[in-house]
Amino acid sequence: MKLKHTAIALILGLFIYLSFYSWNLRSGQLDRLADYTGLEIVKWSLWPGEWVHDRSVDFLDRYVYLVGLKQTNDRLSSQNDLMRLEIMTLREKAEEAGRLQALLHFSPVEGWYVDGARVIAHRMGPSAALDSIIISKGSVSGVLPDTPVLTPLGIVGRVVQPGLSASKAMLITDLNSRISVRGQLHRSTGLLSGTGEGEILNVKYMKLNAPVSEGEILVTSGLAGLYPPGLPVAKVTSVERSDISLFLKVEAVPLVDMENTEEILLLHRNATSNSTSAGVN
Amino acid sequence: MLSVAWWTVFTIAGIWAQRFVPGVDFLAPGLLLCIQLERKTLFFWLLIVWSLIQEGLGGLPFGYSILWYSSIVALYRCGAMFFDVQSLMFAILCGAGLGILHPLLIGMMAVLADMQWTADRYFLEGVLQFLIFPLEWAFLKYIYPERLKHEFSA
């Protein structure tokens, strides 16, 4: 009799679980609930410790060690980051201008604006199946799913689950990450895919006759619409031609040190460009 | 009230521990302790809050933590038929069960969500879970205040 009751309870439990699982897959309501509650609890649990850590490190750096030198270094370092980003943008624009001179109709790149955020934590918890980071901004700051995450050095990944004031972003090293890229010099296109934490990246579907060289920087192509074109992503480390494949075997390394990144930039579309594209669509 | 404060501090400590050891659940031993203390109301609330935390942190569609924490209940129920479920030996068996279950559950959920995954990482995390679970459980049992065992027992 007890066995019968256990079996009924088990089947009923499984039925309810699968019903909720299927409903959530379709609607995403439970995922949103978890993002808006669980992620918030984690953020506010970690925040006091992070704050104390930051303040103590800051105090030690500024007042115990090299006071003036550290401040100058901080200022120059932040200036350097901004200039690096500017150089990257200008380089891309210069390359682009050369190519576009031949074109009659030039459609400008959609407008984006940048917002800063902190990395609160890296992948954590038993159900963390993605190589991910948790960042300190969420939907109240305008973060949406697929918001690009980058540093002045290059692309880090994209937001997969935004919470209220914290979000989860998938890194480009994750197995499920795919980015449409092209070579900065030769403009050959391919699909950059992650192979796991700390592993090299693969560039798929780059044609056998495509010109690409070791050391070439891969930038976002903008073809998929998730990232604006021209942002640096990875550096080609090896190019192999195969006799049995239609495509090159290209390997690359990310430009950003994912493990030690503490601050990131979020790229948001300008409201005007959003409304324009909505109008066009 | 003190009980709520104790479990809140434990939850925060568990979240911090998870920050430093990715892939390992530091809250699960607390749930086993809660079942052993037969605190049904507290167990219910902890299950909800911790499930939301783990699901919020995870990258899979909602459902992993429900199965994960349900398996502790199932292990406890099955274990009660054969073992002394208050003993360290049972905590070791429970840790082993969860250690084996971790890669299997991640694999199953990843396949259901049509995601790619590599088994190696999760096997290693399973081993870590197996090692950490009984140690943390023993530590929790040691530090859990005697007076809280009788506070608003449900």
Side-chain angles (χ1 to χ4, degrees):
Chain A
M1 198 64 181
K2 196 180 175 186
L3 195 70
K4 193 181 167 187
H5 282 161
T6 312
I8 290 169
L10 200 70
I11 292 167
L12 200 66
L14 198 65
F15 176 76
I16 293 169
Y17 174 81
L18 288 174
S19 306
F20 271 103
Y21 183 84
S22 312
W23 171 69
N24 175 60
L25 268 189
R26 192 164 50 83
S27 67
Q29 297 286 357
L30 292 173
D31 285 332
R32 262 192 294 282
L33 176 71
D35 291 337
Y36 286 164
T37 52
L39 213 51
E40 288 303 307
I41 295 171
V42 171
K43 186 201 166 172
W44 295 111
S45 302
L46 295 177
W47 181 79
E50 292 279 349
W51 188 83
V52 171
H53 173 262
D54 287 352
R55 287 293 164 276
S56 7
V57 169
D58 204 33
F59 175 78
L60 279 173
D61 284 352
R62 284 181 193 282
Y63 296 101
V64 181
Y65 297 119
L66 308 164
V67 179
L69 193 62
K70 176 66 186 163
Q71 282 169 348
T72 315
N73 190 39
D74 281 354
R75 188 165 44 80
L76 290 174
S77 178
S78 73
Q79 272 179 4
N80 185 38
D81 282 351
L82 286 172
M83 285 170 72
R84 203 190 286 259
L85 190 63
E86 200 175 332
I87 288 169
M88 287 288 186
T89 316
L90 288 174
R91 193 181 289 161
E92 270 306 306
K93 279 188 176 169
E95 294 275 341
E96 194 181 49
R99 290 191 308 277
L100 292 175
Q101 274 179 349
L103 296 174
L104 186 60
H105 299 290
F106 168 63
S107 57
V109 177
E110 277 186 303
W112 299 73
Y113 69 93
V114 178
D115 189 16
R118 282 180 62 88
V119 176
I120 302 172
H122 285 254
R123 177 179 168 268
M124 58 189 281
S127 62
L130 299 172
D131 280 338
S132 56
I133 50 171
I134 296 167
I135 57 175
S136 65
K137 287 205 172 158
S139 51
V140 289
S141 306
V143 178
L144 299 168
D146 296 328
T147 298
V149 179
L150 70 157
T151 72
L153 292 172
I155 293 282
V156 172
R158 65 183 166 90
V159 172
V160 283
Q161 285 170 310
L164 273 178
S165 69
S167 303
K168 194 162 43 204
M170 179 171 70
L171 303 178
I172 57 168
T173 49
D174 187 80
L175 278 168
N176 299 284
S177 167
R178 303 281 184 276
I179 301 178
S180 173
V181 292
R182 66 170 83 238
Q184 198 171 39
L185 293 175
H186 301 105
R187 315 308 292 177
S188 309
T189 53
L191 192 68
L192 188 76
S193 63
T195 56
E197 189 183 1
E199 302 289 328
I200 48 110
L201 305 168
N202 282 332
V203 186
K204 293 176 178 174
Y205 313 120
M206 207 171 250
K207 287 177 187 169
L208 270 182
N209 57 356
V212 60
S213 55
E214 282 181 29
E216 184 170 356
I217 300 292
L218 299 171
V219 297
T220 50
S221 71
L223 292 174
L226 291 180
Y227 299 92
L231 293 173
V233 188
K235 185 178 175 183
V236 175
T237 51
S238 80
V239 182
E240 283 179 36
R241 287 169 207 283
S242 168
D243 293 332
I244 53 167
S245 172
L246 291 171
F247 303 103
L248 290 172
K249 189 185 174 196
V250 181
E251 291 179 343
V253 288
L255 294 173
V256 181
D257 178 9
M258 311 281 174
E259 286 284 311
N260 300 309
T261 302
E262 292 176 39
E263 291 92 20
I264 49 95
L265 299 169
L266 294 161
L267 272 184
H268 302 282
R269 283 177 200 274
N270 276 334
T272 47
S273 63
N274 268 347
S275 56
T276 311
S277 35
V280 170
N281 290 334
Chain B
M1 207 60 208
L2 198 65
S3 181
V4 174
W6 196 91
W7 285 104
T8 306
V9 172
F10 170 73
T11 304
I12 293 170
I15 289 170
W16 271 94
Q18 287 189 178
R19 186 181 190 272
F20 294 108
V21 189
V24 175
D25 187 354
F26 280 85
L27 303 174
L31 203 68
L32 178 62
L33 185 69
C34 192
I35 300 170
Q36 287 169 334
L37 293 170
E38 295 181 351
R39 307 281 297 278
K40 287 176 185 167
T41 315
L42 185 67
F43 168 80
F44 175 74
W45 284 112
L46 289 180
L47 187 70
I48 289 177
V49 174
W50 291 354
S51 293
L52 287 171
I53 288 175
Q54 303 296 17
E55 292 294 344
L57 287 173
L60 293 163
F62 197 95
Y64 173 93
S65 58
I66 302 292
L67 292 178
W68 176 248
Y69 288 135
S70 299
S71 68
I72 298 177
V73 181
L75 280 169
Y76 183 83
R77 293 271 176 218
C78 295
M81 290 190 275
F82 306 104
F83 310 103
D84 171 14
V85 284
Q86 301 288 334
S87 67
L88 178 66
M89 186 52 74
F90 176 71
I92 293 171
L93 281 171
C94 201
L98 290 178
I100 294 167
L101 192 66
H102 176 61
L104 298 176
L105 214 51
I106 284 269
M108 187 186 82
M109 298 300 282
V111 169
L112 281 175
D114 200 19
M115 286 167 61
Q116 293 191 34
W117 70 295
T118 44
D120 305 3
R121 171 200 274 177
Y122 303 109
F123 280 123
L124 182 68
E125 288 172 0
V127 173
L128 279 175
Q129 183 75 64
F130 163 58
L131 294 174
I132 289 168
F133 187 92
L135 293 174
E136 192 190 337
W137 174 84
F139 177 68
L140 280 180
K141 196 167 183 182
Y142 178 71
I143 62 161
Y144 193 77
E146 195 65 32
R147 56 187 285 205
L148 292 187
K149 290 180 185 171
H150 311 292
E151 195 181 317
F152 68 86
S153 42

